[in-house]
Amino acid sequence: MAGTGADPLVRAEHFIWLTARVLEQRRFAHRFLDGDPDPVETALTAYRNGDGGYAHALEPDLRGPVSQPLHTAHALSVLDSIGRCEGLRVERICRYLSDVSTKEGALPALLPLQRGYPAAPFVPLVDDPPAELLATGPIVGLLHRNEVWHAWLFRATDFCWSAVDALEQSHPYEIEAAIAFLDGVPDRTRAERAADRLGRLVRGQRLAVLDPARRAEYPVAPGYAPGEHHFPHDYARTPGSLARRWFTDGELERSLDHLAAEQQEDGGWPVNWRQWAPGTALEGRPLVTLRALETLRSYGRPLG
């Protein structure tokens, strides 16, 4: 058994085998144990519905059998991680996105089909949900980064540009969605200008904890859980992200030190968002653990 003195990756591996769903186990094996990508895609297929979307608590905070954009964004991120964001599999997803888009050609966070099935109370369920950058930005950025061509992207990209340009007051998850869009969109000059402005907004509104030792002095966004702070590494998950320019080397190093220190005795990383059901917290921790490992590795931090 991996003890607390073991390397971070060894401890995380024990945690993943002990607690994670099959999908996260397969993803860990692929990313950190030189595993084959085929089992990852096989595990992901179990969450796919006939309409081309994904469901069945792929995104743990939404339960039930109905397809939702947030589940589908999660599926695309998995396909991206194994280099398979292409071909018929993505064509089916784009058709689904077209079918569920609003009149603006973009995505709501939660479709009213969710009614009757459990969902996190912090994801609002309304009859006529508006399009949101939070749901649309990461998908559009990912598809552009993978050089996917589909008619859905034209209006969805325009929506994201308008939403990013209009941001004046925001919150961390919306900023993360914006930077995910900007990191992938083809117009790099415009993306850099927009990212520079967002960086000033993040620092001006204190949306990133620049000194983890003083995090209690930073505000938590309305509706977030107590202590649900965001750090430089949450925005700049890789050195190549436009958000990396928002932070000094010292600020980022402190952020990564904090991330590394967050590994728990059982080998996993904690969730810091509001926990509303026992199962969602259990399923969320392996996802957070995979993300922490990926971030640390992308910055060259030793894992073992």
Side-chain angles (χ1 to χ4, degrees):
M1 179 180 294
T4 56
D7 290 332
L9 188 61
V10 173
R11 295 166 57 201
E13 180 181 357
H14 176 78
F15 173 77
I16 292 292
W17 294 133
L18 178 67
T19 68
R21 303 181 296 190
V22 171
L23 177 59
E24 282 70 56
Q25 291 179 13
R26 297 298 200 183
R27 290 182 66 193
F28 179 88
H30 169 62
R31 298 297 285 173
F32 297 99
L33 303 176
D34 296 321
D36 193 274
D38 286 346
V40 180
E41 188 167 5
T42 298
L44 179 64
T45 300
Y47 295 89
R48 192 177 69 207
N49 279 340
D51 59 6
Y54 288 75
H56 310 289
L58 177 57
E59 186 64 36
D61 282 330
L62 301 178
R63 321 300 289 187
V66 295
S67 299
Q68 290 287 351
L70 292 179
H71 292 309
T72 305
H74 191 134
L76 279 169
S77 72
V78 174
L79 292 171
D80 179 54
S81 73
I82 60 174
R84 295 189 175 178
C85 193
E86 60 186 7
L88 183 58
R89 59 176 71 84
V90 174
E91 173 68 27
R92 285 195 296 257
I93 289 174
C94 288
R95 284 202 300 266
Y96 165 76
L97 298 174
S98 298
D99 290 343
V100 300
S101 288
T102 66
K103 62 181 181 299
E104 297 93 347
L107 299 168
L110 189 64
L111 299 168
L113 294 170
Q114 188 68 32
R115 187 168 281 108
Y117 299 104
F122 46 80
V123 184
L125 179 60
V126 298
D127 289 332
D128 188 21
E132 294 192 24
L133 178 63
L134 191 67
T136 313
I139 291 178
V140 173
L142 185 151
L143 292 175
H144 278 305
R145 192 173 68 249
N146 283 274
E147 300 182 344
V148 171
W149 187 95
H150 192 275
W152 177 76
L153 275 170
F154 289 102
R155 295 183 65 206
T157 300
D158 288 342
F159 169 85
C160 290
W161 276 126
S162 296
V164 168
D165 290 343
L167 284 179
E168 294 182 357
Q169 292 287 326
S170 190
H171 59 93
Y173 290 121
E174 187 173 49
I175 296 293
E176 287 182 23
I179 200 65
F181 165 69
L182 295 174
D183 277 344
V185 72
D187 189 340
R188 303 313 301 154
T189 300
R190 185 177 179 183
E192 290 179 6
R193 287 199 303 266
D196 287 346
R197 187 181 71 83
L198 290 187
R200 293 191 294 272
L201 183 153
V202 165
R203 297 185 74 94
Q205 296 180 16
R206 305 185 76 212
L207 299 182
V209 176
L210 302 179
D211 184 355
R214 303 175 62 182
R215 59 181 161 176
E217 301 175 14
Y218 287 80
V220 174
Y224 284 33
E228 192 176 355
H229 292 105
H230 288 240
F231 298 84
H233 67 262
D234 290 309
Y235 301 102
R237 293 186 182 173
T238 68
S241 173
L242 290 173
R244 173 62 186 90
R245 306 177 187 183
W246 300 350
F247 309 108
T248 67
D249 291 347
E251 289 166 349
L252 186 65
E253 287 302 309
R254 287 194 295 270
S255 181
L256 294 170
D257 288 343
H258 170 74
L259 177 61
E262 283 282 279
Q263 189 175 22
Q264 306 294 285
E265 289 189 6
D266 61 6
W269 270 258
V271 298
N272 68 346
W273 58 83
R274 195 175 303 279
Q275 300 179 32
W276 60 278
T280 62
L282 291 173
E283 292 172 355
R285 286 195 66 207
L287 291 167
V288 172
T289 296
L290 284 171
R291 186 170 66 193
L293 292 171
E294 290 280 13
T295 299
L296 291 169
R297 186 170 71 171
S298 76
Y299 282 98
R301 288 297 184 104
L303 297 176

